[in-house]
Amino acid sequence: MDYLPTRLGDLIVWMANFASKLPGYASTFGLSAAEVAQVATDRAVLEFAINGARIRQTDAQEWVQFRETVLFAPLGTPMPSLPTPGNVGALPTGALASIVPRVRALVQRLKAHPNYTTAIGEDLGIEPPSVSQPDRPTLRARAETNFRVRLTFTMYRMPMLEIQSRRGSETEFTTIAFDTSSPYVDGREPLEAGKPEVREYRARYIDRNDQPIGDWSDVVSVTAKP
């Protein structure tokens, strides 16, 4: 099992731990001040990139909802407010691309050093975890307003989750999303405009080669309402 988390939110936490504790081992491994400083910069840039993408994804979801309301809402629906873009901030000074490969190369150096121990590796978070993983996800669904359904799940360091749904008179499940972090919000308009509909969901893990892992989750059912 890899020591690096696959879930982006967990990767932020991992990088924060690695960057904060590495200076304490600089002399142990003969690291220069510039190398330690680069890891600190990489931490800031990694968090900036991940959070920035999340903000823009939220922006996109809000624009999709805006579009769907403007185009397909029932007659008499008030015009929605124009979505306001989120603030991603400024790119940290000294940003360099290829953060994960650079960190992996550094970790490889640390592990090859004669002063390396398993205890140090566990403190830095570079020893693989020994936590067992389920072979299928647990999916939870909650109806929100405006026909939205919020799905929550735990990734358990899995790379991706495939989410399928079936609703109304549909007889087959179809894939509606591939997600890497919880939650996922299903913001589709109902098949019959303005009418509540029962939606069923199931999900399964996907590996780095886009192949399914384990079985489908139990099917969860929820009624989407205005």
Side-chain angles (χ1 to χ4, degrees):
M1 185 181 296
D2 195 1
Y3 59 87
L4 276 182
T6 54
R7 184 176 179 272
L8 295 178
D10 293 338
L11 185 58
I12 290 177
V13 176
W14 182 92
M15 191 65 177
N17 176 76
F18 184 71
S20 66
K21 292 183 176 179
L22 186 64
Y25 296 106
S27 60
T28 302
F29 297 109
L31 299 176
S32 67
E35 288 176 315
V36 173
Q38 184 60 57
V39 172
T41 298
D42 285 345
R43 172 201 174 180
V45 176
L46 179 141
E47 187 169 351
F48 170 83
I50 293 175
N51 289 337
R54 285 178 176 171
I55 291 171
R56 288 295 175 255
Q57 287 172 349
T58 299
D59 290 345
Q61 290 178 350
E62 291 178 353
W63 269 100
V64 168
Q65 188 60 47
F66 176 82
R67 179 198 67 195
E68 295 299 298
T69 302
V70 170
L71 269 61
F72 304 114
L75 290 173
T77 300
M79 182 66 183
S81 300
L82 194 66
T84 302
N87 180 19
V88 299
L91 180 66
T93 302
L96 297 176
S98 308
I99 292 174
V100 171
R102 184 164 49 254
V103 168
R104 286 192 181 279
L106 176 58
V107 169
Q108 188 173 5
R109 282 177 52 199
L110 300 183
K111 289 188 171 184
H113 197 282
N115 290 337
Y116 181 82
T117 65
T118 300
I120 292 176
E122 290 175 345
D123 190 37
L124 290 172
I126 58 178
E127 284 292 321
S130 57
V131 179
S132 61
Q133 298 178 337
D135 62 356
R136 64 176 187 163
T138 298
L139 200 60
R140 296 178 177 84
R142 186 183 72 195
E144 299 184 340
T145 59
N146 205 21
F147 295 102
R148 293 187 180 189
V149 174
R150 179 178 294 267
L151 301 175
T152 57
F153 43 87
T154 302
M155 291 302 296
Y156 291 106
R157 301 171 70 92
M158 297 292 189
M160 191 178 299
L161 189 78
E162 178 182 4
I163 301 172
Q164 292 193 340
S165 177
R166 181 173 62 189
R167 57 179 177 160
S169 60
E170 295 174 347
T171 59
E172 301 292 333
F173 279 93
T174 57
T175 298
I176 60 172
F178 289 92
D179 210 347
T180 58
S181 62
S182 179
Y184 171 77
V185 177
D186 179 7
R188 294 175 295 171
E189 290 295 317
L191 295 174
E192 295 186 50
K195 293 186 177 181
E197 66 180 12
V198 175
R199 298 179 185 176
E200 295 177 296
Y201 299 93
R202 67 179 185 179
R204 64 181 175 182
Y205 294 120
I206 302 294
D207 67 17
R208 294 182 183 276
N209 297 315
D210 296 328
Q211 297 300 310
I213 302 174
D215 299 324
W216 288 103
S217 68
D218 291 335
V219 174
V220 295
S221 179
V222 65
T223 300
K225 301 177 181 180

